[in-house]
Amino acid sequence: MVSISQDAQYFLRRAMDAETRNTPVQVIEFFDRAIKMDPGYAMAWNEKANYLDRIGKLDEALSCYDTALKIEPEDAEIWFNKGLTLKKIGREDDAVSCINRGIKLAIG
């Protein structure tokens, strides 16, 4: 089990809280601070990827999902999220594969 510092958790919460009222640069800065404090914080990588997806930076989002999956390769949510982003860029087969892997992991 990975232990995540309270400071990293704090900046992840700040990033997620800031998404609706701050500029993308500020939000990404909070995610990056959390990741800098704990580079193995898969949830921070996943949430940063989700945010990048929402603002249309799909290639950067995929890179973050890949990093999160290196840390937590059996995380269903990350696989599912990556699949949704792949679908947006038209990589249907890869998208279906990722989504199916996420579903299989989620249901055991």
Side-chain angles (χ1 to χ4, degrees), residues 35-84:
I35 290 166
K36 185 177 180 181
M37 290 178 177
D38 276 307
Y41 195 179
M43 180 60 71
W45 285 104
N46 180 59
E47 292 300 333
K48 180 180 178 183
N50 289 341
Y51 181 72
L52 290 166
D53 177 288
R54 280 193 293 283
I55 64 171
K57 295 185 176 192
L58 304 179
D59 289 334
E60 290 178 50
L62 288 172
S63 177
C64 289
Y65 288 130
D66 288 341
T67 300
L69 287 168
K70 287 178 186 171
I71 299 164
E72 294 287 341
E74 301 300 311
D75 189 296
E77 180 181 353
I78 300 169
W79 280 108
F80 191 81
N81 292 340
K82 181 180 178 181
L84 294 176

Side-chain angles (χ1 to χ4, degrees), residues 4 10 12 18 20 24-25 29 31 33 39 46 50 52-53 59-62 68 79 81 86 93 96-97 104:
I4 304 300
Y10 168 77
L12 176 61
T20 58
V25 172
E29 189 176 293
F31 282 123
R33 287 182 76 177
N46 180 59
N50 289 341
L52 290 166
D53 177 288
D59 289 334
E60 290 178 50
L62 288 172
W79 280 108
N81 292 340
L86 287 166
D93 291 342
V96 169
S97 177
K104 285 179 186 174

Side-chain angles (χ1 to χ4, degrees), residues 3 5 16-17 22 26 28-29 43 58 60-62 66 68 75-76 92-93 103 106-107:
S3 177
S5 75
M16 293 172 71
D17 289 343
N22 293 58
Q26 290 171 316
I28 291 170
E29 189 176 293
M43 180 60 71
L58 304 179
E60 290 178 50
L62 288 172
D66 288 341
D75 189 296
E92 295 290 328
D93 291 342
I103 291 169
I107 62 174

